[in-house]
């Protein structure tokens, strides 16, 4: 093999690899375009569903710690019930949720002094997920009815938070008001987005 043929083979190989990379780039762009077309705005709804659920859990934890608020945080339980992503809801509705509910009831019955107050609402959420009839857990949860309930809860909590803060401006300027306001706005954005799209 001489040097001239080696250089021409190397140039051919280099151009073939370049062509292959160009084709892979085109294929990746087509995949992204087709994925967005197929999922459409459903992907945005799915992301907002996760964000809203995390925001509701954040607000629930925040209220159970040292940042007490005047919000009716027990309303976050039905909100989480109706807005939790299907993956998480399925886990709590299945065997894992049944075991958590079983242990929680046993602890409450036989060791009531050891049952912590801050665990009441999370345990209530698991109990509701386990025992809810299919009409509520399946039909209402996956329809506009569940979204309307979430929207009502979110609007009520936002209105109460703004009132407790002393106005809209104070809701964004107080030390703990900003995080609460952003969390509650996330609770309102998800059902609005899902109802529209």
């Amino acid at each position: 093999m001489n040097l001239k043929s080696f250089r021409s083979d190397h140039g051919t190989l280099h151009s073939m690899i370049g062509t292959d990379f160009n084709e892979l780039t085109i294929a990746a762009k087509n995949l992204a375009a087709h994925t967005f077309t197929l999922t459409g705005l459903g992907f945005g709804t799915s992301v907002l569903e996760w964000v809203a659920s995390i925001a509701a859990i954040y607000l629930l934890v925040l209220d159970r710690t040292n940042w007490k608020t005047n919000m009716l945080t027990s309303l976050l339980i039905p909100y989480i019930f109706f807005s939790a992503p299907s993956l998480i809801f399925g886990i709590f509705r299945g065997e894992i949720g049944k075991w958590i509910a079983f242990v929680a009831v046993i602890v409450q019955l036989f060791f009531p002094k050891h049952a912590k107050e801050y665990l009441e609402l999370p345990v209530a959420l698991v109990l509701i997920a386990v025992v809810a009839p299919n009409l509520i857990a399946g039909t209402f949860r996956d329809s506009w009815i569940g979204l309307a309930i979430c929207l009502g809860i979110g609007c009520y909590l936002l209105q109460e938070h703004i009132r407790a803060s002393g106005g809209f401006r104070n809701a964004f300027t107080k030390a703990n008001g900003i995080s609460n306001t952003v969390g509650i706005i996330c609770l309102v954005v998800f059902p609005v987005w899902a109802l529209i799209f």
Side-chain angles (χ1 to χ4, degrees):
M1 189 182 226
N2 63 25
L3 187 59
K4 188 175 184 181
S5 67
F6 178 74
R7 284 186 182 163
S8 67
D9 289 343
H10 181 66
T12 307
L13 181 64
H14 183 65
S15 68
M16 288 173 44
I17 290 175
T19 304
D20 288 344
F21 278 125
N22 289 338
E23 289 176 7
L24 283 174
T25 304
I26 292 169
K29 287 179 183 178
N30 286 339
L31 176 65
H34 293 153
T35 301
F36 184 73
T37 302
L38 289 175
T39 59
L41 299 172
F43 180 73
T45 303
S46 171
V47 169
L48 284 176
E49 180 180 49
W50 279 92
V51 169
S53 295
I54 291 169
I57 293 167
Y58 167 75
L59 289 169
L60 191 63
V61 168
L62 198 62
D63 189 61
R64 294 294 172 190
T65 58
N66 57 357
W67 288 28
K68 293 283 185 192
T69 62
N70 293 332
M71 287 191 315
L72 187 59
T73 54
S74 58
L75 284 175
L76 292 170
I77 297 304
Y79 187 94
I80 296 169
F81 176 82
F82 284 110
S83 71
S86 298
L87 174 71
I88 303 297
F89 188 77
I91 289 172
F92 285 122
R93 188 126 168 103
E95 287 297 315
I96 293 173
K98 290 177 185 175
W99 275 102
I100 292 171
F102 175 74
V103 170
V105 168
I106 294 298
V107 167
Q108 187 66 34
L109 284 175
F110 296 115
F111 310 105
K113 293 180 182 176
H114 298 292
K116 303 293 184 192
E117 180 185 327
Y118 57 85
L119 291 177
E120 283 180 6
L121 291 179
V123 168
L125 174 63
V126 174
L127 283 170
I128 289 171
V130 169
V131 301
N134 285 334
L135 177 68
I136 295 171
T139 307
F140 290 170
R141 189 178 172 283
D142 295 331
S143 71
W144 65 271
I145 297 170
L147 293 171
I149 291 170
C150 288
L151 182 60
I153 291 171
C155 289
Y156 176 77
L157 290 176
L158 182 63
Q159 176 261 332
E160 285 297 313
H161 174 66
I162 290 172
R163 180 183 299 160
S165 298
F168 191 76
R169 180 174 294 175
N170 289 341
F172 282 101
T173 56
K174 285 187 176 180
N176 63 345
I178 296 171
S179 62
N180 289 345
T181 305
V182 170
I184 295 171
I185 287 173
C186 289
L187 299 184
V188 174
V189 168
F190 160 66
V192 169
W193 177 273
L195 283 170
I196 291 172
F197 298 110

